[in-house]
Amino acid sequence: MKKRTLMTLSLLWLTAGCSEDIDVVRYGHIEEHWQAERVTMNSQEPVVDAEAILNQCEDGEPLSELNGETFSVLGMAYATRAPLMNDDYYGYSFNEVTYVEGDTIYALCKSDRMDGMEGYRAVELAERPAYLKDEVGTEMSALPTVYIATENERAALHKPDAFYDNEQDIEPYPVTLMRISPGFSGTVEIGIEEGGYFTPSFHFLPNLRPSDVFIALGRDKATNMPHLLQSYGGDKARYSSSILQDADLLNGADSLTFRRIHNGGTMEPMTAYPLYDVTIDVDGQNVTKTVSMRYRPSALLTNTTSPDEIAVAYLHQYPYHREVPLPYPDAVNVSGKAYDQLVEAIETARPSTKSGETKDYKYLTLWRGNLGQQFEVSYQQRSKKVDIYVKDVMTGKVFKLSSVGAKTFKELFPEAFE
């Protein structure tokens, strides 16, 4: 009899010990939160598996460079998660994968949380994805090439709707117009004088339908200030304009002339190419400024961590719907230190065979990065306190928060107890 009692106590101790190690918060992929599609030059699949897109570059070794003088863009895939609340973009996530063939097959991944969508993380693939097996793709050169514009392209500068801002009276100089075919991934920078300060002017990205860029010089008729004109798309394009940044030029001039000095060719990385001579009258003397251009290839991201990974929790009255975000107070949220406190509170919970009663705020959603977890919340009013239960939607398991955890939950979400 004593042996049986000892065995029973031992089992109870073991069970109690195991319960201490239960992870209540367990992030995973929630497919219904995502909208995903795949696109090629001739097809579009609007409903595909988002998890494969989100994880495409997670397992392989990040590359520091791609091999090839030309690349074929085979297809692109997108996965998007819309915010849960109105006017709240903590939970918004946009992820893109571009499949490229150079000397081998690559996947290039980017997201809104990855260096402002300007950088790619790349991995090498053993073979083409199945849906791209027979895809021809769009060829892109690794480096941009500059061409002198054709007569038709120059004539387009004089069309009535040539400029986005029709209120600004710009006189274009068609002889300065040049066309730039895209480089694979990088930024064209423009500056005054060979050793001057270069500013980013436009970007090239791997794309199924890359656009040429057109640049020219023009003059604001009202101020006589020289402008850089820029557009995408050829003789049907509309141009934007920006003032050339130089102390002398910004003062305007009584005399202003332009001369194109570049005759086209491939742009080697970080090489300054003189484009135009701009001559102005400064205090009775002619001063010539040289406008130059250079190409800065984009560096691949090799850091495997995402420094801006979001962490936000929502307590809400209605289920998540990507097309119908919830207003406050139908949903409330916490982030930062409050989020960490909430997770600690939930981790105090222990398995329960019962649950409480549902109230207005019956759903709890945790988002960390692209992963998440969903709970159903119920409450049991006692004489001096409220017991709080959370049910993991994925597993169906119910957990009861500790007294300390319930107190923290109540402090973080007072709306649920009003």
Side-chain angles (χ1 to χ4, degrees), residues 62-64 109 114-115 118-122 299-304:
L63 302 174
S64 59
C109 302
M114 192 185 298
D115 278 12
E118 292 181 6
Y120 287 94
R121 182 180 299 152
L300 294 174
L301 303 177
T302 56
N303 188 354
T304 57

Side-chain angles (χ1 to χ4, degrees), residues 273-295:
Y273 295 93
L275 300 177
Y276 311 112
D277 278 342
V278 181
T279 302
I280 60 174
D281 184 293
V282 179
D283 298 328
Q285 292 186 337
N286 284 338
V287 176
T288 299
K289 305 280 186 173
T290 300
V291 180
S292 298
M293 175 173 65
R294 69 185 183 191
Y295 178 64

Side-chain angles (χ1 to χ4, degrees), residues 335-377:
S335 58
K337 291 183 179 179
Y339 179 90
D340 295 334
Q341 293 171 356
L342 175 65
V343 170
E344 290 178 7
I346 297 174
E347 286 289 11
T348 69
R350 292 295 171 257
S352 175
T353 57
K354 62 178 183 178
S355 59
E357 298 177 354
T358 57
K359 293 187 177 182
D360 289 343
Y361 290 91
K362 58 178 75 72
Y363 304 102
L364 176 66
T365 298
L366 307 182
W367 280 344
R368 178 173 285 280
N370 289 333
L371 301 179
Q373 189 172 7
Q374 299 177 108
F375 296 98
E376 293 177 359
V377 186

Side-chain angles (χ1 to χ4, degrees), residues 77-94:
Y78 308 93
T80 306
R81 181 179 63 196
L84 189 146
M85 291 181 66
N86 282 332
D87 302 322
D88 167 50
Y89 292 94
Y90 283 114
Y92 172 79
S93 183
F94 176 81

